[in-house]
Amino acid sequence: MKNQTRGAVLEKKSSLSYAAMRKQIMEILATPVEFTDDQNLIELGLNSLQMMRMVSKWRKSGAKVTFAELIANPCLGEWWSLLEKNAAVASASPAPDQKEALPAAEEKGETVFSLTDVQYAYWVGRRDEQTLGGIGCHAYLELDGHRVLPQRLESAWQKLLSYHAMLRARFLESGHQEIMAEPYQQSIVVHDLRLLDANETKQQLQEIRERLSHRRLRVEEGEVAGLELSLLPGGDARIHFDIDLLVADVQSLHIILRDLAAAYARDCDPATPRNWSFTQYLKKEEQRRSCERETAGRYWQERLLTLPTA
């Protein structure tokens, strides 16, 4: 239990404590039996999926750790020492210039930047000349409601377009992305089906679904998302929303829908600060990975001395 008194640096850098780590592991193992710091947790029943979940939670709390590091030495004592070491390295690193981190990259004129690896794969796969290509990675959702007001929905959508820069992105032939000053289209498409009978309404909704759910958005022009509204008999309504995954992953999709609902219901601005930008995030990630590459490079340089010859 000697580690319970350690980790001052780590606990300052994150919300993770030794006691919390031990408690979490015991809950996962579902055993009241105490284990020592040097016992192999895999032998005690901890599996890789559970470890990956712990890594995710610990990283969200601010701790710097990877699954590969944990699996190499699956003991609580080793893990805590590793987290302490990583926290000490992070503390010794020079702090970024906060004045530089605050302004959004778009405001500084940095509107064109490279694609991430995942974006590049999606972008290449869209091309007709690509084997098994010609398809955009695309999400389509339908949201049913009642008495949805078209002008109010359009106003909420325009608010999101002004806040979320990636909803104004276009993808260039050079393999870069550019944030445009204005979105591809600010208005929403409204289908008035209120006077149709049940069969006609069903047919029209099916045609809209077929068109939107299978379309390949014109991302080269900045068409990365779309919003349409169908007004139905009896005051019902259906919102048709689609977005290219070049600009939003699943978590981002939830954020966009949350912000749209808040903007429509309460005219609220999105929770994301205006000075946040994807370009700044990518810069910070590159800085972090650069430090990790340097650490990995030093490790393998030292290992070279002990590796067997060819």
Side-chain angles (χ1 to χ4, degrees):
M1 299 297 179
K2 62 181 180 180
N3 282 322
Q4 287 180 316
T5 59
R6 299 169 57 191
V9 174
L10 174 58
E11 292 183 23
K12 285 182 180 179
K13 298 291 289 185
S14 74
S15 59
L16 189 64
S17 68
Y18 173 84
M21 285 180 63
R22 172 173 280 277
K23 180 181 178 182
Q24 184 180 356
I25 294 170
M26 289 191 67
E27 289 175 351
I28 292 174
L29 293 176
T31 174
V33 179
E34 288 284 343
F35 54 86
T36 63
D37 285 351
D38 56 358
Q39 276 188 281
N40 188 308
L41 296 174
I42 294 179
E43 293 179 357
L44 293 178
L46 193 67
N47 62 48
S48 59
L49 182 58
Q50 292 166 335
M51 290 173 64
M52 284 189 282
R53 288 173 177 165
M54 286 195 303
V55 167
S56 178
K57 289 182 179 180
W58 294 351
R59 290 181 69 88
K60 287 179 180 178
S61 73
K64 302 296 183 182
V65 66
T66 65
F67 173 78
E69 291 173 326
L70 294 191
I71 200 72
N73 294 291
C75 305
L76 178 58
E78 293 290 341
W79 288 357
W80 186 250
S81 296
L82 173 67
L83 291 173
E84 280 189 311
K85 178 182 176 182
N86 291 348
V89 170
S91 297
S93 301
D97 187 347
Q98 293 300 320
K99 292 182 180 179
E100 282 297 312
L102 284 176
E106 292 89 287
E107 295 174 1
K108 297 166 63 180
E110 299 173 23
T111 58
V112 180
F113 51 103
S114 299
L115 306 179
T116 66
D117 291 345
V118 172
Q119 284 181 306
Y120 191 80
Y122 288 169
W123 179 70
V124 169
R126 299 174 59 86
R127 295 168 172 264
D128 291 321
E129 66 272 16
Q130 179 69 29
T131 303
L132 300 179
I135 299 174
C137 290
H138 172 250
Y140 171 71
L141 296 173
E142 294 179 347
L143 306 171
D144 288 339
H146 190 71
R147 305 268 181 219
V148 177
L149 303 177
Q151 291 183 339
R152 190 169 180 174
L153 181 62
E154 183 170 278
S155 177
W157 180 239
Q158 290 171 352
K159 188 181 289 288
L160 260 66
L161 294 175
S162 69
Y163 256 79
H164 294 301
M166 288 305 292
L167 293 179
R168 305 192 308 274
R170 68 169 177 166
F171 292 80
L172 309 178
E173 186 63 28
S174 62
H176 291 78
Q177 52 197 321
E178 178 183 21
I179 305 300
M180 302 188 299
E182 298 293 332
Y184 175 82
Q185 182 177 359
Q186 296 195 53
S187 60
I188 66 173
V189 178
V190 179
H191 308 277
D192 193 346
L193 312 180
R194 288 174 292 184
L195 300 180
L196 302 182
D197 60 32
N199 288 333
E200 290 174 324
T201 300
K202 182 178 179 181
Q203 180 180 351
Q204 288 294 320
L205 290 176
Q206 183 61 34
E207 289 178 1
I208 294 171
R209 177 182 294 171
E210 287 294 322
R211 174 174 57 85
L212 295 179
S213 62
H214 294 82
R215 69 172 175 168
R216 184 169 33 162
L217 292 164
R218 295 182 287 270
V219 297
E220 66 280 358
E221 298 177 18
E223 184 187 35
V224 295
L227 193 67
E228 300 189 11
L229 173 65
S230 292
L231 301 176
L232 307 176
D236 290 335
R238 175 168 295 176
I239 296 174
H240 311 268
F241 172 70
D242 66 330
I243 190 167
D244 199 290
L245 298 187
L246 276 167
V247 300
D249 57 15
V250 175
Q251 183 62 31
S252 302
L253 183 58
H254 287 301
I255 292 172
I256 290 171
L257 293 177
R258 177 203 67 191
D259 290 348
L260 180 63
Y264 178 85
R266 301 183 298 279
D267 194 27
C268 294
D269 290 338
T272 306
R274 277 188 178 274
N275 60 6
W276 189 93
S277 74
F278 189 43
T279 50
Q280 288 289 356
Y281 165 77
L282 292 179
K283 280 186 175 182
K284 291 179 180 179
E285 278 294 290
E286 178 56 32
Q287 292 173 358
R288 181 183 64 81
R289 292 175 181 175
S290 177
C291 293
E292 292 178 353
R293 285 194 293 267
E294 290 177 6
T295 301
R298 288 194 297 270
Y299 169 82
W300 286 107
Q301 286 293 334
E302 294 173 359
R303 283 290 308 277
L304 283 176
L305 300 176
T306 61
L307 293 176
T309 58

